[in-house]
Amino acid sequence: MPDTHGYIFADEHDRSAERFRALSELYDASTTGYIERLGLARGCACLEIGAGGGSIARWLAALVSPGRVVATDRDMPAFDVSGLANLELLGHDIAVESLPAATFDFVHARLVLMHLPEPELAVSRMVRALRPGGRVLLEEFDVPPLTSEAAWDGGATTLRTSVAFRAAMERSGVDMQCGRRLPGMMRAHRVVSIGGQGRMSLWTGHSAGAHLMRSNYVGLKERMIDDGLILAADFDADLARLDDPEFVAVSPTMWSVWGRLP
Ligand SMILES: C[S@@+](CC[C@H](N)C(=O)[O-])C[C@H]1O[C@@H](n2cnc3c(N)ncnc32)[C@H](O)[C@@H]1O
């Protein structure tokens, strides 16, 4: 039965720092590049939903200062905001709580919607929070169904644990193909001038991609083994490969989709 009560990694405070560090290393350069191209002016009011480790919220606060940035997360965000008087932290659950209407010039969320039972509702809340002409950038993974140990031309491997992890996420109600649904969800809420880009990379052993895989897999280890999705010995062997410099995996596709209100 899908677990729709909350974020699948909610209880993993010890591993979330590693996850946020890896996500920042993997994706901040492209996220900030997309935001720069949207042409936000100084003084803009911005909203960062599900801010995680806060790297994008801090970058935005410096970009639009003295404009204000509100960074939310389902628990009160706890990252360092020193030196950024225009950055406000807010405990806010986008799945159930509304946002002030027509207040922001820009809203961004990365890897949040895939975890929500009703992502369309969250998109409608985010878009309603925008002023006329406001911009939105939504970024989500797309992981097509996987086949274990499928070797790709360059030698990239799909670990058995990757297959098990995808299945465990889906069983828990996470939408592993959320990325491809972003344009439709945005269009349904009056967003126009929609554009987007999907990005894949090779994740080698001991890289930020391998660190992300490790923190995610370790987080769901018991669940995957208890549900018979992976044997403990196979799990341990796969995790060891994440430290092997010869190891190569293909990343999920990260879809970054932008648009604006009329
Ligand atoms: C995979 S992390 C991504 C963090 C950050 N956006 C990034 O890309 O580095 C997902 C984040 O969404 C937050 N989150 C999950 N469900 C949420 C909800 N219902 N409302 C607000 N934030 C939520 C989590 O607490 C976590 O910080």
Side-chain angles (χ1 to χ4, degrees):
M1 183 141 121
D3 165 13
T4 53
H5 298 292
Y7 176 50
I8 194 164
F9 299 122
D11 298 327
E12 294 193 18
H13 302 295
D14 46 340
R15 260 180 306 275
S16 59
E18 182 188 21
R19 179 175 302 112
F20 295 149
R21 226 181 358 261
L23 289 172
S24 169
E25 193 175 326
L26 290 166
Y27 295 113
D28 280 5
S30 51
T31 296
T32 56
Y34 294 126
I35 296 174
E36 275 171 349
R37 271 173 262 157
L38 293 175
L40 303 185
R42 281 207 173 269
C44 275
C46 301
L47 179 60
E48 169 76 357
I49 298 286
S55 54
I56 294 299
R58 282 193 300 269
W59 178 87
L60 268 174
L63 181 79
V64 300
S65 174
R68 94 184 164 119
V69 174
V70 177
T72 79
D73 213 301
R74 64 196 293 275
D75 296 321
M76 186 66 181
F79 53 82
D80 180 21
V81 295
S82 50
L84 294 166
N86 60 332
L87 176 52
E88 286 168 39
L89 304 183
L90 179 68
H92 176 271
D93 186 339
I94 190 68
V96 293
E97 293 177 276
S98 59
L99 290 162
T103 302
F104 296 95
D105 302 293
F106 175 63
V107 60
H108 172 247
R110 188 174 72 190
L111 299 177
V112 179
L113 294 171
M114 67 189 296
H115 296 285
L116 306 181
E118 295 180 289
E120 306 81 4
L121 187 58
V123 173
S124 77
R125 291 194 169 114
M126 291 183 210
V127 171
R128 238 186 114 249
L130 285 174
R131 294 181 176 132
R135 317 279 165 142
V136 54
L137 173 65
L138 300 177
E139 303 185 283
E140 295 292 334
F141 277 152
D142 195 316
V143 190
L146 301 173
T147 312
S148 174
E149 291 295 329
W152 172 73
D153 260 3
T157 301
T158 303
L159 299 175
R160 279 164 294 209
T161 304
S162 303
V163 181
F165 176 78
R166 188 188 186 286
M169 293 284 274
E170 268 193 344
R171 283 187 186 186
S172 301
V174 178
D175 180 1
M176 296 302 281
Q177 297 193 290
C178 186
R180 68 184 61 191
R181 296 187 233 289
L182 293 174
M185 287 195 271
M186 287 163 74
R187 196 171 301 114
H189 295 291
R190 297 190 305 119
V191 176
V192 297
S193 304
I194 292 172
Q197 205 160 55
R199 201 166 145 257
M200 290 171 87
S201 311
L202 290 177
W203 285 353
T204 53
H206 215 62
S207 65
H211 295 150
L212 180 64
M213 291 165 86
R214 174 184 299 281
S215 62
N216 286 344
Y217 297 173
V218 171
L220 295 196
K221 177 178 178 181
E222 310 306 333
R223 193 182 301 215
M224 290 191 278
I225 293 172
D226 291 350
D227 287 357
L229 293 168
I230 187 90
L231 297 172
D234 290 338
F235 180 92
D236 293 342
D238 282 354
L239 271 243
R241 292 182 73 180
L242 295 179
D243 284 330
D244 175 356
E246 305 277 297
F247 173 76
V248 185
V250 177
S251 77
T253 304
M254 171 67 95
W255 279 105
S256 303
V257 182
W258 54 84
R260 65 172 174 81
L261 276 191

